[in-house]
């Protein structure tokens, strides 16, 4: 066995342990200075959910090997599990950010009407521009949330913060609905809920399961119905989504750890190193070893 340096991770618990202000337990953390937002320069996996708003200037970051620029008036949503690196707030950049644990987020997210709309949109559009009124509303909610989070003597501060965050997310969802309507919209049916459930299952299980039939079984629907529904809602087949998560993880491991290909194959539930090599070459056009030497070539 060789050096098995793990891909570093960032969570609210890590940051709170270093004495961060404006937080509630390990569930909720607020920032009002872009320089303090825990998006690292080197590659790290974000274990929690981040929602932010740029109030001035610009910043850049890379998520799952894709670079994004955040300008004034842009909102940003980073789901848990993404590999973030090269975060660079420019001098004079201003912004606000809320970091939530997955458990805290899930406590209220399922009660928000058409929440799958926001989830679906943010996966392909993690950075999007708000109108002036929408920016004011989101910034206003943030101020209220911070006030309650900092009020440590308030017995109900966590519950109040939860409801205010839900309202803020509804504001973002309305902005996304406006943008989708402008673009012609997407069909919002039960199929979208199926797609969202499928994505959540993939996020939790892609390291060990790549079979569409397994996901269909977990959702108590046939593979054919799952495939047709996911394709209709997202424009991509279930296999494409699964492969995207698997390849993103493989690239992150090859780029940012010193694990051997054999070790990565075992961790990702490939039969052996050879099977991983064939899978990776089929999707990236090069071997894992070649990618590790020249990640820009894939």
């Amino acid at each position: 066995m060789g050096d098995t340096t793990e891909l570093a991770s960032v969570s609210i618990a890590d940051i709170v342990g270093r004495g961060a202000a404006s937080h509630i337990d390990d569930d909720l953390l607020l920032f009002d200075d872009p320089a303090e937002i825990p998006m690292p320069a080197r590659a790290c996996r974000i274990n929690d959910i981040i929602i932010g708003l740029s109030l001035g200037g610009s910043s850049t970051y890379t998520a799952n090997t894709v670079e994004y620029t955040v300008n004034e008036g842009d909102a940003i949503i980073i789901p848990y599990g993404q590999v973030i690196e090269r975060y660079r707030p420019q001098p004079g950049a201003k912004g606000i950010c809320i970091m939530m644990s997955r458990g805290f987020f899930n406590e209220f997210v399922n009660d928000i009407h058409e929440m799958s709309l926001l989830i679906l949109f943010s996966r392909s559009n993690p950075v999007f521009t708000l109108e002036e009124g929408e920016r004011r509303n989101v910034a206003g909610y943030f101020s209220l949330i911070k006030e309650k989070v900092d009020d440590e003597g308030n017995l109900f501060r966590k519950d109040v913060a939860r409801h205010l965050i839900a309202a803020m997310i509804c504001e973002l969802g309305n902005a996304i609905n406006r943008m989708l309507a402008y673009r012609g919209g997407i069909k919002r049916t039960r199929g979208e809920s199926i797609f969202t459930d499928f994505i959540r299952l993939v996020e939790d299980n892609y390291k060990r399961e790549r079979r569409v039939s397994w996901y269909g079984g977990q959702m108590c629907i046939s593979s054919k119905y799952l495939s047709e529904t996911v394709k209709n809602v997202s424009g991509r087949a279930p296999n494409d989504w699964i492969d995207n998560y698997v390849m993103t993880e493989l690239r992150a491991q090859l780029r940012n750890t010193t694990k051997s290909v054999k070790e990565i194959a075992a961790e990702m539930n490939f039969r052996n190193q050879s099977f991983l090599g064939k899978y990776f070459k089929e999707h990236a056009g090069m071997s894992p070893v070649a990618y590790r030497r020249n990640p820009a070539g894939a």
Side-chain angles (χ1 to χ4, degrees), residues 3-271:
D3 184 351
T4 58
T5 303
E6 294 282 350
L7 182 65
S9 64
V10 174
S11 68
I12 294 175
D14 299 327
I15 302 164
V16 168
R18 297 196 292 267
S22 295
H23 73 277
I24 297 178
D25 303 324
D26 294 339
D27 287 323
L28 183 61
L29 187 59
L30 276 62
F31 299 89
D32 52 13
D33 182 350
E36 296 179 357
I37 296 174
M39 289 174 60
R42 66 187 183 90
C44 286
R45 190 183 306 282
I46 302 294
N47 290 335
D48 301 303
I49 297 158
I50 294 177
I51 296 178
L53 173 65
S54 173
L55 300 175
S58 65
S59 304
T60 59
Y61 75 98
T62 299
N64 293 340
T65 72
V66 178
E67 184 173 272
Y68 298 95
T69 298
V70 185
N71 295 311
E72 181 176 358
D74 285 347
I76 175 174
I77 298 176
I78 299 178
Y80 55 83
Q82 295 210 350
V83 176
I84 304 296
E85 58 184 316
R86 301 192 185 99
Y87 172 57
R88 299 187 183 96
Q90 300 303 311
K94 299 177 182 178
I96 52 180
C97 170
I98 295 178
M99 194 171 182
M100 293 172 281
S101 70
R102 184 175 175 182
F104 179 80
F105 181 75
N106 287 338
E107 284 178 8
F108 62 82
V109 69
N110 290 331
D111 294 329
I112 299 178
H113 179 61
E114 294 187 340
M115 184 62 202
S116 55
L117 174 66
L118 186 144
I119 294 172
L120 175 60
F121 182 87
S122 65
R123 294 193 188 283
S124 54
N125 301 269
V127 178
F128 53 97
T129 303
L130 301 182
E131 292 184 341
E132 185 176 348
E134 294 163 346
R135 300 174 201 173
R136 284 198 307 269
N137 290 339
V138 171
Y141 279 122
F142 179 88
S143 295
L144 288 171
I145 294 163
K146 190 174 187 303
E147 179 183 331
K148 294 305 176 185
V149 169
D150 290 341
D151 183 9
E152 296 184 9
N154 188 330
L155 179 64
F156 302 100
R157 67 180 183 129
K158 191 170 186 177
D159 295 304
V160 174
R162 183 185 294 113
H163 288 296
L164 288 171
I165 292 172
M168 186 188 73
I169 289 175
C170 288
E171 188 72 35
L172 291 171
N174 188 59
I176 288 171
N177 187 60
R178 169 185 56 78
M179 286 181 275
L180 290 173
Y182 177 78
R183 298 177 187 181
I186 59 174
K187 188 176 182 180
R188 297 195 296 274
T189 65
R190 165 154 171 77
E192 191 178 302
S193 296
I194 290 175
F195 170 75
T196 304
D197 290 343
F198 166 70
I199 288 295
R200 287 174 176 168
L201 268 177
V202 173
E203 288 178 337
D204 289 339
N205 298 281
Y206 70 89
K207 286 187 178 182
R208 66 184 182 88
E209 273 297 345
R210 295 183 292 278
R211 297 171 298 162
V212 175
S213 59
W214 184 88
Y215 289 97
Q218 295 297 303
M219 299 172 67
C220 300
I221 58 177
S222 69
S223 300
K224 181 179 179 181
Y225 182 59
L226 175 61
S227 297
E228 290 175 348
T229 302
V230 170
K231 185 68 179 291
N232 287 337
V233 171
S234 70
R236 300 170 65 182
N239 273 326
D240 293 334
W241 284 103
I242 297 167
D243 290 340
N244 178 70
Y245 275 86
V246 173
M247 286 299 297
T248 294
E249 181 67 23
L250 291 176
R251 287 189 175 99
Q253 296 279 6
L254 290 167
R255 255 177 89 174
N256 303 300
T257 78
T258 54
K259 294 177 185 176
S260 69
V261 176
K262 182 178 180 180
E263 290 168 328
I264 296 172
E267 181 180 322
M268 296 292 291
N269 201 29
F270 283 88
R271 187 177 303 176

